Amino acid sequence: MNGRVLRIELRRSVAPWAGVVVLVPALTFLYVLDGTWWSGTTAWTAQWTPLAMKTRSLLFYLWPLAIGLGALQGLRDHRSKMSELLTSTPRPARHRAATLAVATAITLASAFAFLVLVGGVQVLGHTEYTHLGWLPVSLVGVLFLVAGAVLGMGAARALPSPLTPPALAMGALVFTALMHMSLGRTETSTADGLTSTEPNRVSLLSPTPEDVREAFVTLSAPVHVGQTIWLLGIAATGFALLVAATPRARLTALTPVLAGAVIALLVLPSDPRRMYVVDKAASEPVCDGPVCVTKTQQARLADLAGPGKEALRLLRGALGDQAPDSVRENTAVLPEGSTPRWSRSTVLFDFDDDLVATAKGEELTWALIAKGMVPGCTPVGWSGMGGDEYARTVALGWVLGDLKPLGGPSARLPAAAEAETRTVWKELMALPRAEQLSRINAMRAAALSCEGDPFDVLSGGASR
């Protein structure tokens, strides 16, 4: 390819504007609109893998834009009424098509790379854990944009109408939405009989990944391979449509995208637990005595170690041999809607838990004690207020000998509930020590197994 021709293409075509139109909305979403991409351990500037996953999630909107912009570029010859003139020149059509595709690919790739660079600079200041496992996620994201733009160019060359760009962009948006609403999801039932949905292999044809809840969860290698095959098929079809001159050639050009889809579906995993996997290196524990965090959060260990050890000491004094002997960041990855799994010997916590997220010093000690006594049985990915929160407040008060407020908006009890928990706490403290311990042990058994109501047990109810 002639470098001079490529430079002219970059100056005089809409290719540079394609990069601008992709980059500006992306930065607007991230910096102007408030959303989950700024919160918790999975914020796009917190860790490398969340950076890649969050920027990929923006392709829900950017991918249709890229396809529409590619289609607009593909209409250029038709709009200028030069199609017949260009076909009479000795230069092969594939050369002109390659120049057009490469110019747009450069600008789209540069825009997405700049977006990742903006986040990467901030990630460097927020974490001590660096790795390259996130890179394939972002590279496939770039490939989605480039392949989509090339497909748009070819489709517009085959169907030269002013309606083609908006129709293609809207079709891509509908396709992506369906992948995350119906076609790409399978209805399941949890162990408790609750209805939920989980992604299937078809959903992986979408450019946008699921919203992951943990910083150490990433896409598996088969997903990267399958998506790459699918995207190469899309790009090949787009390029073939760009150079096709007859209806038969245009029909034949559809072969790569169909073959790519079939092969990709054979390669892509069908089990959601093989789609989104735990990065073992990122989830490796880093410990200070009995207190451990994952390698992704190793910078927070110093602030956690003291309160964690103090929480274990107080739990030991209150529960004796039944007390947990370690504090660990929870690395279990469970399907949405499933019942959490807890350990009697370990206080499991999550830095995104409302109790722990903003707590420091003494309040963090109280939060870890509360998690050790009543970890919570709200289904994964759900939210709620009920017996777990009430029992947690009473149990913490029993360990400390006084009711203490727990931080975080979800932990603040309504006035009526606060009065009820105080009443139950006073009744519990008025019992003989042996009876108190009996109720507490029964309450912990219900809380850790997620069977029965822990607050009902503390109140002396039938589930005791």
Side-chain angles (χ1 to χ4, degrees):
M1 182 182 298
N2 190 305
R4 179 172 172 272
V5 173
L6 181 60
R7 288 193 297 272
I8 293 174
E9 187 73 34
L10 285 171
R11 287 200 309 268
R12 297 184 177 179
S13 71
V14 299
W17 291 105
V20 172
V21 170
V22 165
L23 181 61
V24 172
L27 291 175
T28 301
F29 269 104
L30 292 172
Y31 281 99
V32 177
L33 301 179
D34 188 21
T36 58
W37 40 82
W38 277 111
S39 61
T41 60
T42 56
W44 79 294
T45 58
Q47 301 285 339
W48 290 104
T49 299
L51 165 66
M53 299 292 276
K54 293 290 186 181
T55 49
R56 269 284 296 273
S57 69
L58 295 176
L59 294 185
F60 189 99
Y61 308 99
L62 301 182
W63 191 56
L65 268 178
I67 292 177
L69 289 166
L72 189 64
Q73 181 83 312
L75 286 177
R76 184 180 62 179
D77 294 346
H78 176 75
R79 291 197 310 270
S80 59
K81 297 180 172 55
M82 293 178 57
S83 300
E84 293 184 4
L85 175 62
L86 291 173
T87 56
S88 66
T89 62
R91 189 183 180 197
R94 64 179 181 275
H95 288 183
R96 297 194 304 273
T99 303
L100 187 68
V102 169
T104 303
I106 288 174
T107 58
L108 289 174
S110 300
F112 196 78
F114 183 77
L115 180 67
V116 174
L117 178 63
V118 170
V121 170
Q122 298 176 78
V123 170
L124 285 173
H126 291 160
T127 183
E128 297 177 0
Y129 177 63
T130 58
H131 63 104
L132 294 178
W134 60 275
L135 199 54
V137 180
S138 293
L139 290 177
V140 172
V142 171
L143 190 54
F144 261 108
L145 288 175
V146 172
V150 174
L151 179 65
M153 292 177 199
R157 184 67 61 86
L159 300 170
S161 166
L163 297 179
T164 300
L168 287 175
M170 184 57 66
L173 183 62
V174 170
F175 170 80
T176 306
L178 289 176
M179 291 298 100
H180 292 269
M181 292 171 57
S182 56
L183 294 180
R185 302 197 68 83
T186 303
E187 188 172 293
T188 61
S189 295
T190 65
D192 298 330
L194 301 174
T195 301
S196 184
T197 62
E198 58 185 22
N200 56 40
R201 72 177 70 189
V202 177
S203 69
L204 297 174
L205 299 179
S206 164
T208 307
E210 293 287 307
D211 187 21
V212 296
R213 297 184 297 272
E214 305 293 347
F216 43 78
V217 172
T218 187
L219 292 167
S220 64
V223 172
H224 299 317
V225 174
Q227 289 182 336
T228 300
I229 293 172
W230 159 239
L231 293 172
L232 290 177
I234 290 177
T237 288
F239 190 80
L241 287 173
L242 266 177
V243 301
T246 64
R248 183 176 181 180
R250 294 188 183 103
L251 189 62
T252 304
L254 299 177
T255 303
V257 70
L258 296 177
V262 171
I263 297 173
L265 289 175
L266 293 175
V267 172
L268 293 169
S270 58
D271 186 350
R273 282 158 288 280
R274 293 180 57 235
M275 301 174 189
Y276 298 89
V277 297
V278 174
D279 184 337
K280 293 182 179 179
S283 61
E284 184 180 335
V286 178
C287 301
D288 183 344
V291 181
C292 299
V293 298
T294 61
K295 188 172 286 187
T296 59
Q297 303 298 330
Q298 59 189 1
R300 304 175 72 167
L301 180 59
D303 294 331
L304 181 74
K309 293 174 183 177
E310 177 64 10
L312 291 176
R313 186 188 69 79
L314 292 172
L315 286 169
R316 183 78 175 181
L319 297 173
D321 293 339
Q322 298 296 316
D325 55 15
S326 63
V327 174
R328 290 179 179 267
E329 184 180 355
N330 193 0
T331 57
V333 178
L334 302 175
E336 184 170 353
S338 60
T339 301
R341 300 171 187 170
W342 304 114
S343 168
R344 182 177 292 274
S345 61
T346 302
V347 178
L348 296 174
F349 72 95
D350 192 319
F351 280 111
D352 286 331
D353 189 295
D354 206 24
L355 278 177
V356 178
T358 58
K360 295 181 180 179
E362 189 176 54
E363 289 186 356
L364 182 54
T365 298
W366 298 347
L368 293 173
I369 292 173
K371 293 294 292 182
M373 297 295 285
V374 185
C377 291
T378 302
V380 175
W382 296 18
S383 61
M385 171 74 73
D388 286 346
E389 286 74 18
Y390 307 158
R392 186 179 289 145
T393 301
V394 175
L396 174 62
W398 179 79
V399 173
L400 300 177
D402 188 17
L403 284 182
K404 299 291 185 182
L406 285 170
S410 67
R412 294 172 188 150
L413 302 179
E418 188 175 348
E420 186 178 0
T421 55
R422 182 170 291 277
T423 299
V424 171
W425 174 75
K426 288 181 179 179
E427 291 176 355
L428 178 65
M429 299 300 288
L431 296 174
R433 179 67 183 180
E435 179 65 15
Q436 292 180 28
L437 192 57
S438 175
R439 285 200 187 186
I440 289 292
N441 286 334
M443 180 274 300
R444 286 194 75 218
L448 293 171
S449 64
C450 291
E451 296 178 359
D453 187 337
F455 189 63
D456 187 42
V457 174
L458 285 176
S459 304
S463 60
R464 188 172 69 177

